[in-house]
Amino acid sequence: MLGSTHGTLTTDFRARVEACGETPRTAVHSTAAPSDGDAAELDVSGRPLHSDVPDLDRFFRPESVAVIGASDADGRPNTGITRQLIAWAGRVGARIHPVHPTRATVFGLPCHASVADLPEEVDLAVLLVSDPVPVIEQLADTKVKFAVAFASGFAETGEAGAAAQARLSAAVRRSGLRLLGPNTNLNAFEEFREDLEGPAIALITQSGHQGRPVYTLQELGIRLSHWAPTGNEADLETSDFISYFAEQPEVGAIACYVEGLKDGRQFLLAADRAARNGVPVVAVKVGRTETGARTAASHTGKLTGADTVVDAAMRQFGVIRVDGLDELQDTAALLARARAPRADGVVVYSISGGTGAHFSDLATEAGLTLPTLSEAKQRELHQWIPDYLGVANPVDNGGHPVGDWRGRKIIDAILADPSVGVLICPITGPFPPMSDRLAQDLVDAAEQTDKLVCVIWGSPIGTEEAYRTTLLGSSRVATFRTFGNCITAVRAYLGHHRFTASYRSPFDDAPRTPSPSFRKAQALMRPGQQLSEHAAKQLLRAYGIRVPREQLVTSAAAAVRAAGLVGYPVVMKASGPQLGHKTELGLVKIGLTSASQIRDAYRELTDIARYENIPLDGVLVCQMVERGVEMVVGVTQDDLFGPTVTVGLGGVLVEVLHDAAVRVPPFGEDQARHMLTELRGHPLLEGVRGAPPADVDALVEVILRVQRMALELGDVLSELDINPLMVLPRGQGAVALDALAACR
């Protein structure tokens, strides 16, 4: 039995982390966003730890606007745009200055021949020109704060367009202004209803039309405060607007339609700012079916595609990812308006046993908690509901009372239960007067409680008075049209509040300076090459990751001596810089128990290597470790986010099982543990079929040390694969039995 190399994740763990050069985590919970004065601070990988929040007040509420290329000529596209901008400027109280070289006036307003002729410094310049670069250059001396470019024909059109967009980005950087677009539209200048109250949704879309369903929520009484159509994001990007909206007191939720992220780290910093402030971010991110094109020698490289990493990064920082625009609008609306839950329990209240059972199945399958109501609560409900109907949860009333006060009593009694945080009433179709009275009782009860009341109005018509007036007229009832959207939104609502209640920004604790391990590791790296297993294990040792007792030998006689020192039984493996998966080539021999077996194995391994023309640096004679759970832990490089850490079930079936979880550094111990619970094979770590529980603490420690490697060596380490990492029974540690490392 192998001895333990670690104790608990308290004193001993902190000591070893400090020895590796890391600062131990503290129990302080930081919720305040960093000041912008810290924006230049970098982590050990050279990536920023904070980002500036762009001051977009003068973009959304400018005092003066220049419209360059303004027109009032009949039949011209610019005419309609100019008219809309004039109307918008009137609503926000901005002075508007048309600019056109041949016009004296536009829609009765004095028109200026050029940017140089503007009568004042303007906050916002709207560019109605096909080539915005010359105008950007002209604006450089005017101290304009923001510009919008509608023109298309840039990165969305291919290589030539991408080159044109690069020139535009360079011109913007030289000018000092901030640009929205190109290839954007007028959504930022829409008319928003001013008569709606309560927290608002701020909307970000890369494709303007995709935001229409959220924009029309205003017709259902949901307030919108901003719309940022980011287009090609030559300068201002989705992350800038998330950071800004997260600081606005009127914003209750941020809804995003994202086609591509411009900068992975900036997106995470923006999501971090929203999480610190408790502002939910709900996003549709297209690209789920995109194949992550990557050439990877390691198992972990084959376990993660581009969208897998995006999905993990969003979840890691609390971004709620949904699939459809209908889910986007319903989830954002609920999160913007609902108060924090008092409990996680969901009760289903229905006028049909079949409806209640159907919805409860779907809700439970989705992970919602439907607590069984206490015997006392069930007796209370049976005062008003016949005894033959089930009221344990779901609550079947057999038909909501119409002629008296009992219906409201039932609802109030359910909401009074301390285990209940959410009441959901699915009404599959209108059934007046019962459904009318039920809707009114639900609205009245919602007005008197701080718990969430949800109604699903299943009628395909949607013109019924109970729906249009009673339910939609209440700001305290969340109304949905489908079971699925209700479940998605409620799950997101409960999950968001659980996440933010315990959120601690990983950027606060990210290492700033290299550890002593980094200096040891530098000497082992070979640019552009893959390390041998022996060298890869030395790299692991440098970071305090345990490996078996082993010796590298270059003769059969030396192998026999090494086996005696290591201790029988042993494993023998060929070791060379070009070797990846040795098992397939027959370059691994296990369970060797005698000197004769050692000599035979040495000859066979070296013969195979010669036949396959594989150069070796020797043969490894290794301690044999059998008892444990085989895991894989590794590092891969993502084009958007940089180094990522993967953990999954390991061994020879790793790519068949494809059971892995991914995180983007930096992350803390809590996220490392969450990675394990995401695995379908997680029960193996808890012990199955009489096997003892595995040393999960040791596994978590390895994940965190691998993360440190990813941060410190990210620029020179393209891939790392520890497979298998044998996680021994609790208290006995974890041992890296094999390792592959490739250098950039």
Side-chain angles (χ1 to χ4, degrees):
M1 180 183 294
L2 290 172
S4 174
T5 62
H6 80 287
T8 64
L9 281 177
T10 53
T11 305
D12 289 347
F13 174 71
R14 290 165 63 90
R16 263 189 309 283
V17 170
E18 288 170 334
C20 207
E22 298 188 49
T23 302
R25 289 175 295 277
T26 66
V28 177
H29 178 72
S30 174
T31 58
S35 66
D36 293 336
D38 296 329
E41 192 175 0
L42 305 177
D43 69 10
V44 70
S45 71
R47 292 175 175 82
L49 290 169
H50 307 302
S51 62
D52 289 331
V53 179
D55 184 2
L56 295 168
D57 291 349
R58 284 289 178 257
F59 176 86
F60 289 107
R61 290 279 178 177
E63 293 182 356
S64 55
V65 180
V67 182
I68 300 166
S71 173
D72 58 3
D74 291 340
R76 297 296 300 274
N78 284 8
T79 299
I81 298 174
T82 303
R83 183 183 291 111
Q84 181 171 339
L85 289 168
I86 291 172
W88 171 76
R91 290 193 298 272
V92 300
R95 298 178 297 277
I96 196 159
H97 302 292
V99 177
H100 194 284
T102 64
R103 297 181 181 277
T105 63
V106 170
F107 288 115
L109 297 171
C111 188
H112 309 281
S114 70
V115 168
D117 297 325
L118 288 170
E120 63 175 330
E121 292 182 5
V122 297
D123 296 321
L124 175 65
V126 182
L127 313 184
L128 308 184
V129 295
S130 59
D131 183 4
V133 173
V135 181
I136 294 292
E137 293 171 344
Q138 295 169 23
L139 290 169
D141 296 328
T142 67
K143 298 182 180 179
V144 65
K145 298 177 180 65
F146 298 99
V148 179
F150 295 127
S152 57
F154 290 90
E156 79 278 8
T157 62
E159 290 186 10
Q165 185 164 314
R167 291 192 295 273
L168 175 60
S169 296
V172 170
R173 287 193 298 272
R174 291 192 300 269
S175 72
L177 60 76
R178 303 304 306 271
L179 175 74
L180 179 70
N183 195 29
T184 185
N185 55 38
L186 284 162
N187 294 150
F189 313 114
E190 294 279 1
E191 182 174 1
F192 297 99
R193 286 180 57 176
E194 300 288 343
D195 60 323
L196 301 176
E197 298 180 350
I201 295 174
L203 178 60
I204 305 168
T205 57
Q206 282 183 288
S207 173
H209 191 66
Q210 293 293 84
R212 284 290 156 191
V214 177
Y215 178 76
T216 54
L217 281 173
Q218 294 176 104
E219 299 308 309
L220 301 181
I222 310 295
R223 182 183 169 207
L224 258 71
S225 58
H226 307 80
W227 189 349
T230 60
N232 285 16
E233 299 189 350
D235 177 35
L236 287 169
E237 57 181 300
T238 296
S239 304
D240 292 314
F241 289 101
I242 291 175
S243 293
Y244 173 76
F245 292 149
E247 298 289 342
Q248 305 311 304
E250 72 270 28
V251 172
I254 302 168
C256 309
Y257 173 82
V258 182
E259 293 177 349
L261 294 172
K262 180 179 175 183
D263 185 307
R265 174 53 71 97
Q266 290 300 320
F267 177 77
L268 298 185
L269 290 170
D272 172 69
R273 186 175 293 273
R276 291 175 188 259
N277 292 343
V279 178
V281 179
V282 187
V284 169
K285 168 65 176 69
V286 298
R288 281 195 184 275
T289 59
E290 176 186 355
T291 302
R294 61 177 73 228
T295 302
S298 69
H299 295 101
T300 45
K302 296 169 184 172
L303 289 176
T304 58
D307 191 68
T308 304
V309 178
V310 170
D311 197 63
M314 286 184 166
R315 188 166 56 252
Q316 181 177 337
F317 284 85
V319 177
I320 299 155
R321 189 175 184 184
V322 295
D323 291 323
L325 297 178
D326 55 335
E327 293 176 322
L328 179 66
Q329 64 180 10
D330 282 352
T331 304
L334 176 62
L335 284 164
R337 301 174 74 181
R339 304 172 187 177
R342 298 282 298 277
D344 279 354
V346 175
V347 163
V348 180
Y349 176 63
S350 71
I351 60 176
S352 161
T355 301
H358 181 200
F359 186 87
S360 298
D361 274 352
L362 296 174
T364 302
E365 180 68 21
L368 296 181
T369 300
L370 274 65
T372 300
L373 298 179
S374 67
E375 293 293 335
K377 180 59 65 177
Q378 293 184 52
R379 286 194 299 272
E380 181 183 2
L381 292 173
H382 276 310
Q383 296 178 77
W384 312 296
I385 297 174
D387 289 343
Y388 59 83
L389 295 174
V391 295
N393 191 14
V395 176
D396 177 11
N397 60 30
H400 188 75
V402 174
D404 54 40
W405 41 262
R406 287 176 298 155
R408 176 66 187 279
K409 285 282 191 182
I410 295 169
I411 296 169
D412 288 343
I414 295 172
L415 290 170
D417 192 296
S419 69
V420 175
V422 183
L423 183 148
I424 301 176
C425 182
I427 304 173
T428 54
F431 190 59
M434 185 189 301
S435 53
D436 296 351
R437 180 61 182 269
L438 173 56
Q440 188 62 59
D441 283 346
L442 289 165
V443 167
D444 292 343
E447 296 293 339
Q448 301 299 316
T449 183
D450 56 0
K451 297 183 178 181
L452 176 61
V453 175
C454 300
V455 176
I456 303 160
W457 190 262
S459 167
I461 301 171
T463 58
E464 298 85 357
E465 186 74 11
Y467 171 66
R468 297 296 303 181
T469 302
T470 306
L471 293 174
L472 295 184
S474 170
S475 63
R476 296 289 300 125
V477 172
T479 304
F480 302 88
R481 300 303 302 276
T482 66
F483 282 16
N485 279 16
C486 177
I487 290 170
T488 296
V490 171
R491 181 176 57 194
Y493 158 74
L494 295 171
H496 165 74
H497 286 284
R498 280 195 301 269
F499 179 84
T500 56
S502 60
Y503 183 72
R504 176 181 175 81
S505 173
F507 296 111
D508 291 346
D509 298 322
R512 271 73 164 171
T513 57
S515 67
S517 299
F518 173 65
R519 290 187 287 275
K520 299 177 186 177
Q522 280 182 308
L524 299 169
M525 306 307 287
R526 300 290 181 267
Q529 298 181 26
Q530 180 175 302
L531 301 183
S532 68
E533 178 183 340
H534 181 60
K537 285 180 174 176
Q538 288 180 304
L539 185 64
L540 299 184
R541 283 194 187 99
Y543 278 89
I545 297 171
R546 184 179 170 192
V547 300
R549 295 190 301 274
E550 64 181 36
Q551 290 194 19
L552 183 69
V553 300
T554 56
S555 70
V560 172
R561 289 193 298 272
L565 294 173
V566 167
Y568 289 102
V570 298
V571 176
M572 291 180 66
K573 296 187 280 187
S575 177
Q578 296 181 17
L579 275 174
H581 308 313
K582 296 177 282 292
T583 304
E584 291 90 333
L585 297 173
L587 293 175
V588 179
K589 303 296 180 183
I590 64 173
L592 306 176
T593 58
S594 67
S596 61
Q597 288 180 336
I598 297 293
R599 285 188 287 268
D600 290 344
Y602 184 89
R603 284 192 292 271
E604 184 174 351
L605 292 174
T606 53
D607 286 348
I608 292 172
R610 278 193 296 270
Y611 179 79
E612 297 288 346
N613 196 29
I614 298 172
L616 299 182
D617 58 8
V619 171
L620 284 172
V621 180
C622 311
Q623 172 191 15
M624 188 167 177
V625 182
E626 297 182 85
R627 189 184 182 198
V629 179
E630 292 186 340
M631 302 293 291
V632 57
V633 180
V635 176
T636 54
Q637 294 289 334
D638 182 78
D639 291 341
L640 183 64
F641 294 101
T644 64
V645 176
T646 301
V647 63
L649 290 184
V652 295
L653 296 178
V654 57
E655 292 170 26
V656 177
L657 298 174
H658 208 84
D659 188 12
V662 186
R663 290 295 184 273
V664 178
F667 57 85
E669 181 184 329
D670 57 340
Q671 285 290 336
R673 293 186 182 277
H674 283 316
M675 292 174 79
L676 303 181
T677 60
E678 290 175 13
L679 301 176
R680 296 189 301 277
H682 178 257
L684 292 173
L685 295 170
E686 298 175 337
V688 295
R689 293 183 176 269
D695 199 334
V696 172
D697 287 351
L699 174 56
V700 169
E701 185 175 337
V702 171
I703 294 169
L704 293 175
R705 292 184 182 278
V706 167
Q707 177 193 207
R708 184 72 188 224
M709 296 175 66
L711 285 168
E712 294 190 344
L713 302 175
D715 291 338
V716 292
L717 181 68
S718 61
E719 294 181 64
L720 173 72
D721 191 55
I722 306 173
N723 183 41
L725 175 74
M726 188 69 79
V727 186
L728 303 174
R730 185 178 295 162
Q732 297 180 32
V735 188
L737 302 187
D738 199 351
L740 180 152
C743 306
R744 290 189 171 196

